[in-house]
Every structure is written in structure tokens, then in C-alpha cells.
Amino acid sequence: MSTPTRRSLREQAAFDRESAGPTGAQVPSGAARRARRGIGRMLTDVLLWIAAIAGVVCMLLVVLALTVNITLIMFRTGSMSPTIPAGSVAVVQEVAASDIEVGDVVTVDRVGDLPVTHRVTSISPGASDAERVITMRGDANAGDDPYPYTVQTVRVVLFSVPGIASVIVAMGNPYVLGALTIAATALVVWAFWPRSSNSRHRATSEEHR
């Protein structure tokens, strides 16, 4: 059996000092620290990807709104239940009134009142080629709306997602937007903040040890 040299004893002592905490307790090994750092980086990457996807969706909605007149509407009442329950968000596209058919679910703007989104029950010609007079009814209602609507354009419901209207409303709250902005900024800063040279030196030493 070979006798330990002074150099090997000094290296062992230095290693023991690094492995012991301030009270002499054993601290996690380099592999454990690297594993924790790996989990932290993975969680950061996931959150960054979620933020990036959300940003892409927002930009896509803006592009669609400007190019093909696609927007979102929220359903506060259940007049279209069970097809579109209250609390749903629908994706709608503005089209000419001449393009709609009986059975379509459309949104009609009303002067001095909120828009109404119901199912078309009848279509009649209007005063011009582009104009139509339509009657509508909510799926949950027993009869047609009290009066017909004279329209040149409407917004056709393409599809709807139930239960997310409250999330959309919350996103418009300035306090929620401020908190999300601060959280996203902190996440990006933390993810790209340069690590100290001592930390990089210790990580390199552990990998070559």
C-alpha cells in the first residue's frame, strides 16, 4: 500500500473543507447541486416557452384582426346555451350579410346597446344588394328576438371555448397586467443574468475532479 504524499493530503483536506458547511455539516455534493441547477434551468426554460407562446398568440390575433377581421367576443349570458354557455369566448369573423345562411350564429352590432350573438332564423332582402334583414333567436330562448336586424355586415362565430371569459377579463385588469409584466421581466433577467466567476470556477473544478 502506497503512503499518501503531502500533496494528496492537502488536496483531500481542501476537498473536505469545501464539502463541509460553516458548522462542519456535510453539504450536498457537486452532482446534487448540478441536478438542482438543471431542474431550475428546465423550469425556467418551460416558463420562457410559455411566455413566448403567449406572445406569439397575441401577435397572431393582432395580425388576424387586421388582415381577415377575426376578433374575440365574450358571452356574459346563457342565451346561446347549451351550444355556447355563459363565460365562453368565441372567435368571430366579419363577413358580408349576403354571405350568411339560416342557422349561422352571428354577432350583430346595435346602436346604443351591446352587440347580440344569436342564431339566424330567417333572411330577407334589404333596401340594397348588400343589405339583409334577418331575424335571430338564442338557442336557450323560446322565441325570436323582439325585432329584426337590418345589416350589411355581421360577425360569424367560427368556434368558441367555454369557461375562459373570466381569464380574458382578468388579463385586462391593470393590476394583473402589471404583475404579469413584473413577473415576466424578473424571469427573463434571472434566466440571462451572468453567473459569478467563482460559481463557474467551482462547476469546472467539480467536472474535472
Side-chain angles (χ1 to χ4, degrees):
M1 181 181 296
S2 61
T3 303
T5 64
R6 290 184 178 181
R7 180 177 179 181
S8 63
L9 291 174
R10 283 197 302 270
E11 290 177 350
Q12 181 63 37
F15 177 75
D16 291 341
R17 283 195 301 271
E18 289 183 0
S19 300
T23 59
Q26 194 77 9
V27 301
S29 66
R33 286 195 295 271
R34 286 195 298 274
R36 283 201 299 269
R37 285 197 297 268
I39 294 174
R41 282 194 294 267
M42 182 178 67
L43 292 176
T44 302
D45 290 342
V46 169
L47 293 175
L48 287 173
W49 272 107
I50 292 174
I53 292 172
V56 170
V57 170
C58 291
M59 289 187 292
L60 180 61
L61 289 175
V62 171
V63 172
L64 291 175
L66 295 175
T67 57
V68 291
N69 298 318
I70 289 180
T71 54
L72 303 178
I73 61 170
M74 292 180 289
F75 288 78
R76 297 183 178 180
T77 67
S79 63
M80 280 301 296
S81 296
T83 308
I84 307 176
S88 300
V89 171
V91 177
V92 297
Q93 183 177 20
E94 184 175 320
V95 299
S98 57
D99 292 337
I100 62 175
E101 299 177 353
V102 172
D104 288 341
V105 179
V106 303
T107 298
V108 173
D109 294 317
R110 298 182 292 178
V111 178
D113 205 346
L114 294 174
V116 60
T117 304
H118 283 165
R119 193 177 300 278
V120 177
T121 56
S122 70
I123 304 174
S124 302
S128 65
D129 291 339
E131 194 173 80
R132 296 291 185 274
V133 179
I134 63 175
T135 58
M136 301 198 302
R137 177 190 303 181
D139 287 359
N141 298 339
D144 289 347
D145 294 352
Y147 49 83
Y149 305 93
T150 302
V151 294
Q152 292 188 352
T153 62
V154 296
R155 286 173 284 170
V156 177
V157 175
L158 303 179
F159 64 89
S160 62
V161 181
I164 66 170
S166 57
V167 177
I168 303 297
V169 171
M171 292 293 288
N173 187 300
Y175 295 104
V176 174
L177 286 176
L180 290 175
T181 301
I182 293 173
T185 302
L187 177 64
V188 172
V189 170
W190 183 85
F192 294 100
W193 190 265
R195 300 295 183 258
S196 66
S197 58
N198 290 337
S199 298
R200 290 195 297 268
H201 177 70
R202 283 198 299 270
T204 303
S205 300
E206 289 168 356
E207 289 176 358
H208 291 285
R209 182 171 293 166

